Amino acid sequence: MISDDDFLDDIDAEQNEIEQVIDIEANELAEKEAQLQAQKNLLARKRIDELKEKKRLKDLLDDENDW
């Protein structure tokens, strides 16, 4: 027969396993979110660089002193 102490030990072990699984899943989710944010940041930086280059070229073409 199982004593009350043995039963409680089993519950604690199961709870620890569940917490470990939750921690792993939370870490994986955080990593995926970080990767998505990094990708968004990269795309935003690329777009900013493109707009700056476009403005620089426009300023060069519009410079009346060169003509």
Side-chain angles (χ1 to χ4, degrees):
M1 185 169 185
I2 298 175
S3 70
D4 288 341
D5 291 336
D6 291 337
F7 180 74
L8 292 176
D9 287 343
D10 289 343
I11 290 175
D12 289 340
E14 288 177 17
Q15 183 64 28
N16 287 339
E17 289 176 14
I18 291 171
E19 288 173 358
Q20 287 176 348
V21 169
I22 290 171
D23 288 344
I24 291 170
E25 290 175 353
N27 288 340
E28 289 174 353
L29 180 59
E31 185 176 322
K32 286 180 184 179
E33 289 177 0
Q35 288 175 346
L36 287 174
Q37 187 61 46
Q39 187 176 18
K40 288 178 184 179
N41 291 348
L42 183 63
L43 291 173
R45 173 51 54 194
K46 184 178 177 182
R47 180 67 177 141
I48 289 168
D49 290 344
E50 288 172 356
L51 291 172
K52 283 182 176 180
E53 180 65 11
K54 184 176 178 180
K55 182 181 183 313
R56 186 186 72 79
L57 293 173
K58 182 180 181 310
D59 289 344
L60 286 174
L61 289 173
D62 290 345
D63 191 1
E64 294 178 13
N65 294 331
D66 288 343
W67 297 99

